[in-house]
């Protein structure tokens, strides 16, 4: 067995279990069983269970760097819809559930969620600014619109988990664009 392969299986198992059961309700013994590795191997890679959670959050919930924003001047809804489809957030639905569930109890998770949200807001605001050229408009409204858009994108997995309903990012883009056009 390749060690890197075992580490990946450990992280995969922890992601599945933390998302389904929660961090506190998941033991390393259960993770080892699902990953099909000896429990001592988990301890070699992750001395404490919290190290496993931190590794998951740091490695599996990231914003990709260097993504271009496909903004079309005057097309706020289209710009936001394209941003949603090319969203630079790499985090599985399970990781998004972990982020929201564990943010209240683990500072490192809360900090990561805050950084992810901040980066999504920054990119959405930038896209909106590009789509509204020459508008010396209301910076506060653009900030709120960007924050709402980022919140909808980040939170959609949790909403689906709770209610079974998906949020249509195009509809969110249209709603936000429409609200910005209204004076």
């Amino acid at each position: 067995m390749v060690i890197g392969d075992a580490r990946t299986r450990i992280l995969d198992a922890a992601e599945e279990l933390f998302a389904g059961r929660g961090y506190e309700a998941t033991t390393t013994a259960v993770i080892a069983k699902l990953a099909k590795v000896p429990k001592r191997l988990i301890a070699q890679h992750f001395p404490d269970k919290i190290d496993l959670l931190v590794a998951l959050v740091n490695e599996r919930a990231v914003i990709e760097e260097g993504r271009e924003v496909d903004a079309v001047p005057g097309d706020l809804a289209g710009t936001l819809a394209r941003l949603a489809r090319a969203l630079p957030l790499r985090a599985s639905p399970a990781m998004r559930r972990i982020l929201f569930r564990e943010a209240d109890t683990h500072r490192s998770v809360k900090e990561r969620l805050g950084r992810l949200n901040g980066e999504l807001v920054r990119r959405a605001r930038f896209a909106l600014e590009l789509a509204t050229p020459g508008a010396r408009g209301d910076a506060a409204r653009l900030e709120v619109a960007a924050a709402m858009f980022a919140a909808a994108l980040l939170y959609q997995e949790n909403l689906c988990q709770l209610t079974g309903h998906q949020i249509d990012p195009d509809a969110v883009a249209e709603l936000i664009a429409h609200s910005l056009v209204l004076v």
Side-chain angles (χ1 to χ4, degrees):
M1 175 188 328
V2 178
I3 298 242
D5 182 45
R7 185 179 188 279
T8 299
R9 287 198 327 266
I10 292 166
L11 288 171
D12 290 346
E15 181 177 344
E16 180 181 331
L17 293 165
F18 291 168
R21 298 177 172 188
Y23 172 82
E24 292 300 329
T26 303
T27 65
T28 54
V30 174
I31 294 168
K33 183 176 181 179
L34 184 60
K36 297 181 174 137
V37 299
K39 188 177 172 190
R40 63 177 164 66
L41 190 57
I42 292 177
Q44 286 178 341
H45 289 286
F46 309 100
D48 295 308
K49 187 169 82 165
I50 190 66
D51 297 324
L52 185 51
L53 178 63
V54 170
L56 272 175
V57 170
N58 287 339
E59 296 173 23
R60 296 191 174 188
V62 298
I63 298 273
E64 294 176 2
E65 297 296 324
R67 289 279 190 132
E68 295 288 324
V69 174
D70 185 13
V72 175
D75 184 11
L76 290 135
T79 296
L80 287 176
R82 283 187 295 282
L83 179 63
R85 282 191 290 284
L87 189 65
L89 174 65
R90 268 195 317 104
S92 69
M95 278 307 305
R96 291 181 194 195
R97 282 193 300 279
I98 291 167
L99 285 169
F100 278 94
R101 174 185 281 148
E102 304 303 335
D104 286 339
T105 55
H106 295 89
R107 189 177 48 135
S108 60
V109 178
K110 181 178 183 176
E111 289 168 358
R112 171 60 89 188
L113 184 59
R115 286 193 306 272
L116 291 171
N117 183 67
E119 183 60 19
L120 289 174
V121 170
R122 187 191 68 74
R123 289 183 190 204
R125 186 181 55 240
F126 181 64
L128 287 169
E129 288 169 353
L130 291 175
T132 55
R136 301 225 186 278
D138 191 347
R141 285 183 61 179
L142 286 181
E143 184 70 21
V144 168
M148 292 303 299
F149 187 67
L153 294 178
L154 269 178
Y155 194 69
Q156 69 181 335
E157 295 301 331
N158 279 346
L159 183 65
C160 185
Q161 181 78 11
L162 293 171
T163 67
H165 299 288
Q166 282 284 87
I167 297 173
D168 178 5
D170 291 342
V172 172
E174 186 68 38
L175 180 67
I176 289 172
H178 183 70
S179 72
L180 286 172
V181 173
L182 297 175
V183 177

